[in-house]
Amino acid sequence: MINLRKYIAVIIMIALLPLASFARDQQDDPYGNKLLQEVRTTFNQNNEQAFYDAINKYRNYLRGQDDTSAFYLSWKNEVLYDINHNHFYRALRKTMSMQKDMEEHGAKKDLYKTTHLRGIIYSLRGNIPLAHQYFEKALEQVDHSQPGNLVSLYMDLSNIEMDTQPREAMKHLNCAIEIVKANGISYEYSDAIGFKVIVAYAMRDWKQVNDAFEEYIKLQKVLGQNFSTTYYNYAVICKAVADKRYDEALQQTTKLTNTTDIYKFQTEIYELAGDTQRAFAAQKRYMEVKDSVNNVIMSEEMVGSANDLQDAEQRHEAIAKRNRQLMWTINIIIFGALLIGFLIYRMNRLRYMRHLKKQNRELLIARDKALESERMKISFLQNMSHEIRTPLNVISGYAQIISNPKALITDAERSDMALRITHSTNNIVRIVDEILDISDKESIHYLDKTDLVSCNMLAREVIEPYIDQHSDVEMRLETLLKDSCKIMTNRREVEKILNHLIDNAFKFTQQGSVTLRVYQGKSDNMICYSVTDTGCGVKEGEEEKIFEHFFKSDIYKEGVGLGLSLARRLARKLGGDVILDTQYRDGARFILKLPKE
């Protein structure tokens, strides 16, 4: 309902900068305080390079002082600075580096910070399910003896659930309120009650809006300077709407600093007031502002991806150069050996030949890797060019038609065009998410397997979104296991694997059925999930190629060819595998195997 994420990121940034310096200000440390002041000053200036120079200098100083907590907090502030400036790709890469550094230095208690940051990044980029996963994981990692960190995580969960699951959002917010009450934190208490007014508004529970607002105003009088005004303007708007004072609510929206929130609120207020024409105009302005922000984000992420590819190419060129130098060294050695004499040459000929063969094998391996890297780069660029250019053309074309006041189109046609624009935008976001996700999994060598999962219950939950989704294709579930059968694994990653396999089945099946079957393997102690479709099947000779990055058997199908590759990689990290059943010829059948113990 209300896009408060960016606003909250700014609040967190401003709040944490003084916190990072608290311990240092208590000491006689003029140099450290001087570096911190440079960070604060450059943060408020429009000079990114100056800020990065200042924060890096300060962070290096903290590492030298062995101040681990302040060190990682300053790094977190740098990531939040990037988030605040819409550099989400850059921020995500920094969180990966930050997590690796924590693992290398044994800072396990700080790991939740990187997980929390990823949740913030994905929520701002519109990937709410992935953001929810990271916030939940951060709750598992965080030290529960630190109430402030718990409150922040619960409020973040409430914020991302507010649009689609307002009741769940209220549950998480109440958890935050209980923690605040138990610890007597007055400022955070008024903050949470103000946010409660907004969540109640999302639920359209006008009574709860009035009750929460009344409590909020009482806290303002009682707390004085300790009262939080973060959500004050939002709460006043919600209260006015609850009282049906729509004109006053609309006037209050002009006091908001976030343009997206202004038009979003105005759209809802006009809609509640029954003024559909103005609601439509406000919605149009809201979409224009949101699309503008999304275009900036997408452009920044595409530039980041291109830079990564360029860095990889430079590394490959450096390897080739070293190999050429090695070849010259070998030739010089051979020439010198010949000059020593015929007898010595004959005695050592066999040894040198073995050495040369070994080096040649290494060169061939290096050459094959370079050729494979070149193939992957070309495949990646071709897929990205097609998969991103197509939805961009759709967005551009329909946007021109919708924005043309002289266009003779009906409301139904306009609505259909808006849906197609949204679908195309989601496709682009999904493609970038897949690339970031597989990049993330490349850097992870171990996945936690601490979830006790019911095999049948997991299967039922996974297929639920697909039932009745495709009119010509039936989604089926078959199981040979008892409901009591459970395994220890990573639930989220198993769900992700099954979703990739089912999505792939529906993509290549025009009519018939897609069947998810659960059973125990006969020859090994493995739990199997097979996804069988009645589609076109896999071409002969492509049985293993389909698991390679960016490989697509049909270039006209949606996607960039990462689903099956990511599914197999995740399965193997869980101790299992994903294979193709080559005996099945009426379509395709993929089998996910997971260890039972």
Side-chain angles (χ1 to χ4, degrees):
M1 177 195 311
I2 304 171
N3 185 16
L4 297 173
R5 293 297 310 157
K6 185 173 182 180
Y7 181 67
I8 291 175
V10 176
I11 295 299
I12 294 173
M13 180 68 180
I14 296 173
L16 288 180
L17 276 172
L19 183 63
S21 64
F22 179 80
R24 311 217 64 78
D25 287 340
Q26 300 303 312
Q27 305 171 5
D28 185 14
D29 187 5
Y31 182 69
N33 292 333
K34 177 183 177 182
L35 294 179
L36 177 61
Q37 187 58 42
E38 290 180 8
V39 173
R40 291 171 173 167
T41 302
T42 54
F43 171 73
N44 294 313
Q45 297 175 351
N46 191 22
N47 188 335
E48 288 187 358
Q49 190 58 50
F51 172 77
Y52 293 142
D53 291 342
I55 196 73
N56 285 329
K57 187 184 297 184
Y58 181 54
R59 191 162 63 244
N60 291 335
Y61 172 75
L62 292 174
R63 170 140 282 176
Q65 297 295 311
D66 199 24
D67 193 340
T68 304
S69 179
F71 173 80
Y72 289 121
L73 189 54
S74 66
W75 201 339
K76 182 177 181 180
N77 290 336
E78 180 181 348
V79 175
L80 289 170
Y81 178 88
D82 289 334
I83 293 173
N84 189 40
H85 289 75
N86 293 328
H87 300 315
F88 296 118
Y89 184 87
R90 186 187 305 172
L92 188 61
R93 296 306 296 268
K94 287 180 181 178
T95 61
M96 295 177 184
S97 299
M98 184 176 174
Q99 177 180 338
K100 184 178 179 181
D101 188 271
M102 289 176 176
E103 292 171 349
E104 291 176 351
H105 290 82
K108 293 184 179 180
K109 68 177 182 179
D110 292 308
L111 279 174
Y112 83 94
K113 293 177 182 177
T114 62
T115 309
H116 188 187
L117 285 171
R118 291 189 188 181
I120 293 174
I121 293 170
Y122 283 118
S123 66
L124 287 171
R125 291 174 58 246
N127 193 334
I128 301 304
L130 198 55
H132 194 283
Q133 292 180 18
Y134 278 110
F135 286 145
E136 290 283 1
K137 184 177 180 180
L139 279 174
E140 297 173 1
Q141 296 174 329
V142 71
D143 183 0
H144 284 227
S145 65
Q146 300 294 325
N149 297 331
L150 281 172
V151 171
S152 175
L153 286 168
Y154 276 121
M155 290 188 68
D156 278 333
L157 274 171
S158 178
N159 187 57
I160 65 173
E161 292 171 341
M162 190 165 47
D163 285 339
T164 57
Q165 303 179 78
R167 295 190 182 279
E168 290 296 318
M170 184 62 77
K171 290 180 182 179
H172 283 115
L173 180 58
N174 286 333
C175 289
I177 292 174
E178 290 177 5
I179 295 172
V180 169
K181 285 182 177 179
N183 291 273
I185 313 174
S186 58
Y187 183 87
E188 284 77 3
Y189 182 56
S190 61
D191 212 33
I193 297 302
F195 192 55
K196 187 174 183 178
V197 177
I198 301 170
V199 177
Y201 170 86
M203 297 169 62
R204 299 298 190 263
D205 187 340
W206 307 124
K207 182 180 182 306
Q208 194 167 184
V209 170
N210 290 325
D211 293 343
F213 186 80
E214 182 179 350
E215 183 178 1
Y216 189 52
I217 296 303
K218 288 181 180 178
L219 288 173
Q220 184 182 22
K221 297 177 181 178
V222 173
L223 298 178
Q225 292 183 348
N226 288 329
F227 176 77
S228 170
T229 60
T230 302
Y231 306 114
Y232 183 81
N233 289 330
Y234 291 92
V236 171
I237 294 172
C238 296
K239 170 62 176 172
V241 174
D243 293 341
K244 297 185 178 180
R245 293 180 281 112
Y246 300 123
D247 290 339
E248 183 179 337
L250 288 169
Q251 180 63 31
Q252 190 69 26
T253 60
T254 60
K255 296 181 180 181
L256 302 179
T257 58
N258 190 302
T259 307
T260 306
D261 289 345
I262 293 174
Y263 293 133
K264 194 71 162 54
F265 254 125
Q266 289 181 356
T267 300
E268 294 178 348
I269 295 170
Y270 282 129
E271 184 179 356
L272 290 169
D275 192 340
T276 56
Q277 184 175 0
R278 290 184 177 178
F280 177 78
Q283 177 71 11
K284 181 180 179 181
R285 290 193 293 271
Y286 166 72
M287 293 300 297
E288 289 173 352
V289 173
K290 188 175 180 181
D291 288 345
S292 177
V293 174
N294 288 338
N295 286 337
V296 172
I297 294 172
M298 184 179 68
S299 298
E300 195 271 341
E301 291 181 345
M302 290 300 296
V303 170
S305 299
N307 290 336
D308 285 348
L309 286 173
Q310 185 177 4
D311 291 341
E313 185 175 1
Q314 290 175 351
R315 288 195 297 271
H316 293 147
E317 290 177 354
I319 292 173
K321 183 178 180 180
R322 286 196 297 270
N323 288 336
R324 288 193 297 269
Q325 292 175 346
L326 179 61
M327 181 63 74
W328 277 106
T329 302
I330 294 172
N331 290 332
I332 292 173
I333 292 174
I334 295 174
F335 180 75
L338 289 173
L339 294 177
I340 293 174
F342 178 77
L343 292 177
I344 297 177
Y345 166 74
R346 294 292 298 176
M347 292 171 58
N348 293 284
R349 183 173 179 275
L350 183 60
R351 180 171 60 87
Y352 281 122
M353 289 301 295
R354 285 198 299 265
H355 181 69
L356 285 175
K357 288 179 180 179
K358 178 181 177 182
Q359 294 296 331
N360 285 334
R361 284 196 299 270
E362 292 176 353
L363 289 172
L364 289 174
I365 293 173
R367 184 200 64 182
D368 291 340
K369 288 183 178 179
L371 291 175
E372 178 64 15
S373 174
E374 182 69 15
R375 184 194 68 77
M376 288 179 63
K377 181 183 75 172
I378 294 173
S379 176
F380 171 81
L381 293 175
Q382 289 175 342
N383 286 333
M384 291 298 288
S385 175
H386 172 74
E387 293 298 328
I388 291 183
R389 186 179 298 161
T390 299
L392 282 178
N393 289 337
V394 171
I395 294 171
S396 176
Y398 283 128
Q400 291 178 13
I401 296 174
I402 292 176
S403 62
N404 184 2
K406 297 181 180 180
L408 300 177
I409 56 177
T410 65
D411 290 341
E413 292 173 334
R414 190 181 299 275
S415 178
D416 179 67
M417 292 178 186
L419 288 174
R420 291 177 183 271
I421 290 175
T422 301
H423 176 71
S424 298
T425 303
N426 291 337
N427 280 345
I428 295 176
V429 173
R430 174 181 55 78
I431 290 169
V432 176
D433 284 346
E434 285 184 355
I435 294 172
L436 291 176
D437 200 17
I438 200 166
S439 176
D440 185 19
K441 293 300 181 295
E442 290 280 358
S443 64
I444 295 177
H445 300 289
Y446 175 78
L447 290 175
D448 289 333
K449 295 184 288 184
T450 57
D451 299 329
L452 184 60
V453 178
S454 170
C455 300
N456 289 341
M457 183 62 69
L458 175 64
R460 295 188 186 102
E461 291 176 358
V462 167
I463 70 166
E464 185 176 356
Y466 298 94
I467 298 176
D468 297 330
Q469 183 179 0
H470 302 268
S471 58
D472 295 329
V473 182
E474 179 185 6
M475 183 73 234
R476 299 175 179 174
L477 173 63
E478 298 176 0
T479 179
L480 299 180
L481 301 180
K482 297 180 180 180
D483 286 344
S484 59
C485 181
K486 298 181 180 180
I487 59 174
M488 291 295 294
T489 186
N490 188 308
R491 182 186 184 90
R492 294 173 184 167
E493 302 302 335
V494 174
E495 287 179 351
K496 188 178 297 182
I497 295 170
L498 291 176
N499 284 330
H500 280 305
L501 297 181
I502 295 175
D503 287 339
N504 186 72
F506 275 109
K507 185 186 299 183
F508 292 96
T509 304
Q510 302 300 320
Q511 59 183 2
S513 64
V514 173
T515 303
L516 176 59
R517 188 167 183 261
V518 190
Y519 60 97
Q520 182 171 340
K522 297 180 180 179
S523 59
D524 50 20
N525 193 28
M526 305 287 275
I527 296 298
C528 300
Y529 289 85
S530 68
V531 178
T532 306
D533 62 59
T534 57
C536 59
V538 179
K539 297 178 182 178
E540 186 176 354
E542 294 183 354
E543 291 83 358
E544 286 300 314
K545 287 184 178 180
I546 57 177
F547 292 101
E548 297 177 0
H549 290 351
F550 310 116
F551 179 84
K552 294 176 64 176
S553 59
D554 186 349
I555 62 174
Y556 299 102
K557 292 291 185 181
E558 289 185 356
V560 294
L562 289 175
L564 292 177
S565 174
L566 182 58
R568 171 172 278 187
R569 182 171 294 277
L570 290 174
R572 289 179 175 177
K573 289 182 182 293
L574 292 173
D577 203 355
V578 172
I579 63 172
L580 172 68
D581 184 357
T582 56
Q583 304 300 319
Y584 179 75
R585 296 297 183 183
D586 295 329
R589 174 180 292 148
F590 290 90
I591 302 174
L592 166 62
K593 294 185 175 184
L594 295 172
K596 187 176 181 181
E597 299 298 337

